[in-house]
Amino acid sequence: MIRIFFLFVLSFTLFFQSCKTQNTTSERELKLWYDKPAQEWVEALPVGNGRLGAMVFGGIKTERIQLNEESVWTGGPIERANPEALENLDKVRQLLFEGKYAEGDRLAQEKIMGKRIDAGQHTYQTLGDLFLEFDELGEITNYKRLLDLRAAITTTNFEAGGVKYAREVFASAPDQIIAIKLSSSEKGKLNFTTWLERPGDAEIVSASDNQILMTGFAQYEGRGTRFASLLNVNNTGGEIVASSGKISVKNADEVVLLISGRTSYWGDHETEKSADDIRRIEETPYEELKKNHIADYHQLFNRVDLVLNAPDTLNIPTNERLERVKNGVNDDHLTELYFQFGRYLLISSSRPGGLPANLQGIWDGTLSPPWNADYHININIQMNYWPALVTNLAETQEPFFEFVDDLRERGSQTAREVYGSRGFVAHHTTDVWKFTDPIGMTGYGMWPMGAAWCSDHFWEHYDYTGDDQFLREKAYPVLKDAALFFVDFLVEDPKTGLLVSGPGMSPENKFIAPNGETAAVCMGPAMDHQIIRELFNNCIKTSEMLNIDTQFADTLRTMLAQLTPSQIGSDGRVLEWSEELPEAEPGHRHISHLYALYPGEEFTNPDDPKWMEASRKSIEERLRHGGGHTGWSRAWIINFFARLKDGEKAHENLLALLAKSTHPNLFDNHPPFQIDGNFGGTAGIAEMLLQSHNGVLQMLPALPPSWQKGHIRGLRARGGFEVDLAWENSRLIEAKVRSLLGNTCKVMYGNKTVAIETEVGEEVLLDGNLQ
C-alpha cells in the first residue's frame, strides 16, 4: 500500500472548490451526433443552465430552437383537502383491519381523497420558440449536428454552394442567457429572418432596432406566471432591419443572438429582469461568453470520467447506434455516452437558486405536457437525484432540498386536517404551488410517504459529505418533522399488537382481495414500513451525532421495536402488502416493496442473505410478467441487480433500457419522454462500479462480463471518499481512494475486505489484492 499526502483546505466549502478544479477527463469523444435535422421534438438536442433550456433542431432552411424557463407555470395555490377526511380516517382503518379492503378503498376514495384538477390546468409550459428562416442555399452536403457533452454546446455544420455554414448554441449559467452564433466560411453569406412566437397566449411580440421582446401570461382562470423573453441580435457585416415583430439580417459575416427569459414566479418586473440579463452582457464578446460557460460547466462535469474497453467511438450517428443495440450489437462507448448524458442533463436542469428538475427536467415544447411535467414524489423526483451524490454533483441537489423544505408549511396543514397528526406529510405528487394533500384516486394518491422518502436524501447528503452544518440546520428539521408525523400516524394492528401505517397503498399497484374484488388501500404496506424504519433510524443517528432531542430519539427507538417487520411470503418473495395477496398486475412497473434493496439498504445486510434472495425472486417474477416496461422502471431494475451484485443481469437491463426505452436524442422514453429514466440509468451504471452502503466501499461489485477493461474516476462514496478504479481482464488492477474527512475506510473487493485509517487529505493507492 502506498500513501501519498497532499494539502487539502479543511473548510468543506473550499473542499468542494478543490473538487471542482480537479480535471479527471480523458480525451475520448463524448458527442451525440446526427446526419440530418431533427424532425421530431425527441430528436432535437437539449441545452440548459438549470433555469433556461432549449431544444435545438438543426434545421437548414428553417431552424427551430424551442425555449423553456423552469418557472413558466399556470395556476396557483388552491385548497384540495377533503373536509371529511379526518372524521372518516378511523372508519377506513377499521374496514381495512376487518379485511374489507374494497369497501375501505371506496370509503377512502369518497371521504379522504381530495380534489384532482384536470390535466393542463396547473401545468408547466414552454416559454416559446425562436425561429430562423434562411434564404435558399442550394444543395446541402456534409451535414452534421451534434451535442458535445464535454463543452455543453450544440453545433450544426453543413456546406452549400462551396460555403461552409456553422451554428453553435449553449445555455450559460454564469451569464444566465442562451447564446447562438451563426457563421460562414465566406463573408456576406448569412441571410435570414428571425422571430419569437408561442402557441396560445403570448400577448406582445415587438421588434425594434436589434431586439425582439415577447411577453405573456401562462395562466388558468387568471392565475399563473407572467413571462418575458428578449432576443438580442448582433451582426458583423451586413445590415439588420426590424419590422412587424421580426428581424431580418442581410449579407452578414457573423451573427450572435442572445436570449433571456424571466417570469413573475420569483417576483414582479420580469420584463425588466429579462432586459437586464441582456444588458449586462450584450457588449461581451461571444468567445468570452463561451469561455465563461465552458469553465463553469467543467467545474462540475469534469469531476468524473468513465472509459469502458478499448474502442473509442463508432463513426455512425447516435440514432443508428441505438438501432444497432436493438439488434444485439454491443456498444460500450454508447454506455459511456449515456452515463455522461445523464450527468449533463442533471447539471443542465438543476442548479442552486432555482427549482428542482421536474418530470421532464426543464424541457417541454407544449402547453400541456404529460402529467403536467410536475413533481411526482412517489419515485420520480427522487430518481432524478439518485446520481447526484455518487457521480460527484452534490450541488445539483440544492433546489430539491429547498423545495422539500418549502413543502413543510402546507404539509403540516395537511397532516393536521387530514390525519390529526403533527409533523408534515406529502403524498404522491405536487407542483410549484407545493400542495401536499392526497388527491385523485386511491390507486395512486392514498400514499402519505412522499415527504418521508424525500427526507432520506437529506441524510444521504450528510452521509456522503459530512457537512455538520447542513445536518443541523437543513436536514434535521426536515427529518424530525417527517418522523413526527408517523409518531402520531402509526396505529396498533389488533391482530398482531404491532404498529402499522395506514391507510396507504403500494405505489401504484393493486391486489385481489379475498372476496375477489380489486383494491389498492390496506394497512401496513411493505414500502411504508421500510421508509419509516429508515427515517426513524436517520433521526436517531442525527440525534446522537448532534446530541439533541434525546427524548424524541427514545420515542422513535421504542416505536421501531414495535413496527411490523418486512415479511417473506410462502413463495419466497417479499410481501408487498400486510398479508399474502395476489397482485392485480403481476408485471407492474412499480416494485415498491423492494425499496429496502435500493435506494434503501435494509435488505443488503450480508449477515442476513434471505432478503437478497427474496428480492431476486420478486424481481424475476415481475420481469416474467412484463415488468420494467417503462424507462424509469427499467432503470430501477438496473440498480436492483447492481445491489444483488449481478453484473450480467444489470447489464442486460441496461441494454434493454437503451434498446426499448430511449429516444433518438437519448432522452428516456417512459413512454412518453420522462427524464427520470436517464438519471436512474446513470445511477445504475455507477452502482455497478462502486457501492458504499453498510459502511463498506465495494469496488466493482457488479462488473458485467463484457466490461473487461476500463476505468472510472471521481465517484463519491459515503463517509467522505472520492474513488478512482481501473480494471483489466475483468479484474481490479488499481484503486485510488481520497479521504476528504479523515474517516476510517473499509474497502471490499471480491471476498477480501481491509480497513484503512485515513487522515483528511490522504490518498490511498491499492492494487487488485487491496495492498
Side-chain angles (χ1 to χ4, degrees), residues 359-381:
L359 281 175
Q360 297 186 193
I362 53 172
W363 298 278
D364 182 76
T366 73
L367 299 181
S368 185
W371 299 283
N372 302 316
D374 65 9
Y375 301 104
H376 271 53
I377 53 177
N378 66 351
I379 187 171
N380 310 96
I381 196 172

Side-chain angles (χ1 to χ4, degrees), residues 48-60:
N49 66 7
R51 186 179 64 83
L52 287 171
M55 295 291 287
V56 184
F57 282 67
I60 299 170

Side-chain angles (χ1 to χ4, degrees), residues 50 297 300-301 343-351 393 396:
Y297 175 73
L300 295 165
F301 185 80
R343 297 182 68 243
Y344 167 82
L345 292 176
L346 189 54
I347 295 168
S348 302
S349 63
S350 186
R351 290 289 195 108
L393 297 174
T396 62

Side-chain angles (χ1 to χ4, degrees), residues 443-665:
Y444 54 79
M446 189 68 260
W447 189 74
M449 305 304 300
W453 187 348
C454 289
S455 72
D456 179 62
H457 285 248
F458 288 73
W459 170 260
E460 285 285 292
H461 182 84
Y462 170 77
D463 209 7
Y464 274 82
T465 66
D467 187 342
D468 290 326
Q469 182 177 357
F470 174 86
L471 182 64
R472 182 182 298 275
E473 297 178 3
K474 204 68 174 177
Y476 187 63
V478 172
L479 289 165
K480 182 179 179 181
D481 272 3
L484 187 59
F485 170 77
F486 292 103
V487 169
D488 294 344
F489 181 70
L490 292 172
V491 294
E492 183 178 309
D493 185 334
K495 293 180 181 178
T496 66
L498 298 175
L499 294 176
V500 292
S501 63
M505 41 81 71
S506 185
E508 296 172 6
N509 206 359
K510 296 181 180 180
F511 55 85
I512 308 297
N515 67 355
E517 292 188 89
T518 298
V521 180
C522 70
M523 297 298 293
M527 187 191 211
D528 281 21
H529 295 167
Q530 293 167 16
I531 292 175
I532 292 167
R533 267 190 292 276
E534 184 176 67
L535 172 62
F536 281 12
N537 278 314
N538 289 342
C539 280
I540 292 167
K541 288 183 287 188
T542 304
S543 170
E544 293 170 348
M545 291 174 182
L546 300 179
N547 194 26
I548 57 173
D549 269 348
T550 55
Q551 186 173 354
F552 183 63
D554 286 341
T555 298
L556 298 183
R557 289 187 185 93
T558 299
M559 296 186 75
L560 269 176
Q562 299 169 341
L563 185 62
T564 299
S566 296
Q567 303 173 71
I568 296 174
S570 60
D571 61 359
R573 292 185 293 154
V574 177
L575 286 191
E576 187 164 0
W577 297 282
S578 52
E579 59 178 300
E580 199 158 351
L581 297 164
E583 304 101 320
E585 294 182 57
H588 199 273
R589 62 193 177 279
H590 284 264
I591 314 179
S592 303
H593 51 312
L594 299 191
Y595 176 93
L597 178 63
Y598 186 95
E601 57 186 72
E602 178 186 337
F603 288 175
T604 65
N605 183 354
D607 297 327
D608 196 5
K610 67 176 181 291
W611 294 107
M612 300 280 271
E613 296 168 7
S615 295
R616 179 182 289 275
K617 289 182 179 178
S618 299
I619 299 165
E620 290 173 347
E621 187 69 6
R622 274 288 206 270
L623 290 174
R624 192 169 70 85
H625 288 90
H629 50 275
T630 66
W632 64 262
S633 179
R634 183 71 65 179
W636 199 1
I637 290 168
I638 297 168
N639 285 277
F640 284 152
F641 277 118
R643 281 284 170 95
L644 293 173
K645 300 185 179 181
D646 190 335
E648 186 170 4
K649 283 292 185 182
H651 187 241
E652 176 184 307
N653 282 276
L654 175 59
L655 294 179
L657 180 65
L658 291 170
K660 299 178 181 180
S661 301
T662 301
H663 284 296
N665 65 355

Side-chain angles (χ1 to χ4, degrees), residues 78-82 85-86 89 112-114 407-430 433-439 445-449 451 485 489:
I78 61 171
E79 291 300 319
R80 298 189 177 215
N82 190 326
L86 183 56
L89 178 63
I112 295 180
M113 299 309 296
L407 289 178
R408 289 165 65 199
E409 182 178 354
R410 290 284 294 276
S412 61
Q413 179 181 334
T414 299
R416 290 192 307 272
E417 293 179 353
V418 177
Y419 300 106
S421 298
R422 297 168 294 169
F424 90 116
V425 66
H427 292 78
H428 86 286
T429 191
T430 185
W433 311 117
K434 302 181 178 71
F435 71 88
T436 53
D437 302 299
I439 64 163
M446 189 68 260
W447 189 74
M449 305 304 300
F485 170 77
F489 181 70

